[in-house]
Amino acid sequence: MNTTISKKGVEKTAVVAYMEAAIKKLREHNTTFDLDLLQAITRPKRQILVEVPLRKDDGSYTTFQGFRVQHNDARGPFKGGLRYHPNVDLEEVKTLACLMSLKTAVVNIPFGGGKGGIAVDPRELSQREVERLTRNFTNLLGENIGPDRDIPAPDVNTNAQIMAWIVDEYCQKHGQLLGVVTGKPIELGGSLGRDEATGRGAMIAAREAAREKKIDMTKAKIIFQGFGNLASFGAQIAEQEMGSTVIGVSTSRGAVYNKKGFNLVQAGAYYRDNGSLKGFPGVEWMTNEELLEQDCDILIPAALENAITAKNAKKIKAKIIVEGANDCTQTEGDKILNDRGIFVVPDILANAGGVVVSYFEWVQNLQNHYWELARVRQELERIMVQAYAQVSARAQEYHTSYRESAYIIAISRVARAMQLRGGV
Ligand code: GLU
């Protein structure tokens, strides 16, 4: 977890620290929100903890802890992914749920925020075991999820197949409510363009940032930490549509780097075949930490939380950081980046493309009317560009970083909705 110590000596997450700084700024600008209401936004509305049973293929029986935190639904149903990872715990899920409330608000889509997951390493389970675990988890979540209540989606180590099992389990009891989750396979009510959406959104944010910082995207050298959903699509879009050169990517095992670039398609195939990029020809092999410190124009951390710390923030050479991973910069690291004039596009804006196209998917499910890919891309572009411009404008107006600006916009929108509902 990404924490700092508050004045009372109590651990405080970076997200809560960023929220408190934004709330302070909002009050300095004489907003009409009362402090109690603003403080309430820092805390989740409901926290669900379940013990998910699993009968293993070998007949043995075990359980895993499952979580769903429903952070805020003042602006619409709770919305956010489910991750399957051994490090998942309640504190992490609370932080990520809160970020979802802010993310949906900053891009102004009619959702609140939630997050969930199971503390499990899915690589240690067979496909059948992952399916049974997912179905049991869905049943334990019961009435708490639904298209008008709380809508899960893929996140770390979860995918369209897992969403399909949730749909099947949920719809057996509730009828064909495909909008219960997003990120589904196309054949089961998924949206075209949802798979690439987080990467595309991040690249739109990177392009807007480069424009403001007067960096030519066709000459930009980009490093992605990660090679999962965001980084693989993002890297492809960076090279094929924006003319940039991707000079580094990584997996949990290590990173590859070549300042002149390398063949991404071949790297993708190599990773699929070998489960690692180690041994991929024509590149330097290094650690994930080393990759972050290499020379580049744009750095896109797109792996797990806490990638940027007080320690490595001093050594980062990028001009622009586009936060692909949620909660990826620790408070101290953020201060150092700001002092060093490294421009940061915060996670709640930079990686919002996924949930924006999740919104399109949900709309399509509710209407039973499906869009063409060009429409999905065009609407995503419109929403991302607009949100970016609003964050930029507020940052100039309040003389803040883009992170603080994004938090200010998001918190104001959530607070306004809570106030209109009566402040509860
Ligand atoms: N897991 C993604 C995120 O963190 C997507 C969430 C969604 O589509 O609901 O933004």
Side-chain angles (χ1 to χ4, degrees), residues 130-144:
V130 174
E131 175 177 350
R132 284 199 292 277
L133 189 72
T134 301
R135 289 183 185 276
N136 291 344
F137 185 41
T138 307
N139 283 323
L140 283 168
L141 292 176
E143 303 293 325
N144 289 298

Side-chain angles (χ1 to χ4, degrees), residues 91-151:
E91 285 311 308
E92 179 190 70
V93 178
K94 270 161 69 177
T95 295
L96 296 170
C98 176
L99 283 173
M100 286 308 303
S101 298
L102 301 176
K103 195 184 300 187
T104 53
V106 85
V107 288
N108 216 359
I109 55 175
F111 288 136
K115 198 79 163 204
I118 305 180
V120 65
D121 186 350
R123 286 175 306 188
E124 287 173 4
L125 302 181
S126 70
Q127 272 283 92
R128 288 271 146 231
E129 288 170 340
V130 174
E131 175 177 350
R132 284 199 292 277
L133 189 72
T134 301
R135 289 183 185 276
N136 291 344
F137 185 41
T138 307
N139 283 323
L140 283 168
L141 292 176
E143 303 293 325
N144 289 298
I145 59 169
D148 53 2
R149 287 195 185 165
D150 182 359
I151 307 147

Side-chain angles (χ1 to χ4, degrees), residues 79-81 100 103 115 153-155 194 326 354-355 358:
K79 183 84 193 82
M100 286 308 303
K103 195 184 300 187
K115 198 79 163 204
D155 199 85
R194 176 62 185 83
N326 290 310
V355 75
S358 276

Side-chain angles (χ1 to χ4, degrees), residues 24-309:
K24 191 160 164 262
K25 210 41 155 249
L26 265 174
R27 287 174 61 75
E28 281 165 21
H29 283 77
N30 294 324
T31 57
T32 52
F33 304 120
D34 67 65
L35 188 60
D36 294 338
L37 179 75
L38 294 174
Q39 285 299 339
I41 300 175
T42 61
R43 293 185 289 269
K45 186 166 179 180
R46 187 178 293 123
Q47 304 173 41
I48 302 164
L49 172 57
V50 292
E51 202 63 37
V52 193
L54 175 66
R55 178 73 63 191
K56 302 274 283 285
D57 293 343
D58 64 8
S60 63
Y61 180 86
T62 180
T63 65
F64 296 92
Q65 279 205 315
F67 308 88
R68 185 73 185 170
V69 173
Q70 300 181 324
H71 179 263
N72 191 291
D73 64 347
R75 300 181 60 263
F78 302 107
K79 183 84 193 82
L82 293 175
R83 61 172 59 178
Y84 289 179
H85 194 280
N87 294 349
V88 167
D89 64 21
L90 191 58
E91 285 311 308
E92 179 190 70
V93 178
K94 270 161 69 177
T95 295
L96 296 170
C98 176
L99 283 173
M100 286 308 303
S101 298
L102 301 176
K103 195 184 300 187
T104 53
V106 85
V107 288
N108 216 359
I109 55 175
F111 288 136
K115 198 79 163 204
I118 305 180
V120 65
D121 186 350
R123 286 175 306 188
E124 287 173 4
L125 302 181
S126 70
Q127 272 283 92
R128 288 271 146 231
E129 288 170 340
V130 174
E131 175 177 350
R132 284 199 292 277
L133 189 72
T134 301
R135 289 183 185 276
N136 291 344
F137 185 41
T138 307
N139 283 323
L140 283 168
L141 292 176
E143 303 293 325
N144 289 298
I145 59 169
D148 53 2
R149 287 195 185 165
D150 182 359
I151 307 147
D155 199 85
V156 174
N157 294 338
T158 53
N159 54 30
Q161 175 61 76
I162 290 175
M163 297 306 114
W165 291 324
I166 298 177
V167 164
D168 184 56
E169 200 62 35
Y170 182 84
C171 293
Q172 284 181 36
K173 298 193 179 66
H174 298 88
Q176 294 293 351
L177 297 174
L178 296 181
V180 60
V181 293
T182 57
K184 297 178 290 289
I186 305 296
E187 301 82 350
L188 221 62
S191 176
L192 293 171
R194 176 62 185 83
D195 53 357
E196 62 167 35
T198 319
R200 182 169 293 280
M203 285 317 301
I204 295 170
R207 186 197 66 207
E208 294 301 293
R211 185 178 49 73
E212 287 194 305
K213 295 288 145 198
K214 306 207 170 4
I215 292 172
D216 179 353
M217 277 305 268
T218 64
K219 297 204 179 74
K221 294 195 184 294
I222 305 183
I223 291 178
F224 286 88
Q225 185 200 32
F227 206 30
N229 173 275
L230 189 157
S232 54
F233 282 106
Q236 208 178 307
I237 292 165
E239 291 209 336
Q240 288 171 11
E241 296 180 29
M242 301 187 176
S244 311
T245 307
V246 174
I247 58 170
V249 298
S250 71
T251 75
S252 57
R253 306 232 157 99
V256 292
Y257 174 82
N258 180 334
K259 63 175 187 294
K260 296 205 170 72
F262 48 88
N263 188 314
L264 278 170
V265 178
Q266 282 170 12
Y270 189 92
Y271 178 39
R272 268 191 303 282
D273 293 345
N274 299 284
S276 167
L277 286 166
K278 190 166 189 187
F280 182 64
V283 291
E284 235 179 285
W285 174 250
M286 58 181 69
T287 64
N288 262 280
E289 292 72 41
E290 285 164 341
L291 182 69
L292 293 173
E293 296 165 13
Q294 300 304 312
D295 241 326
C296 66
D297 297 300
I298 304 176
L299 173 65
I300 309 189
L304 288 172
E305 296 98 286
N306 295 324
I308 301 173
T309 63

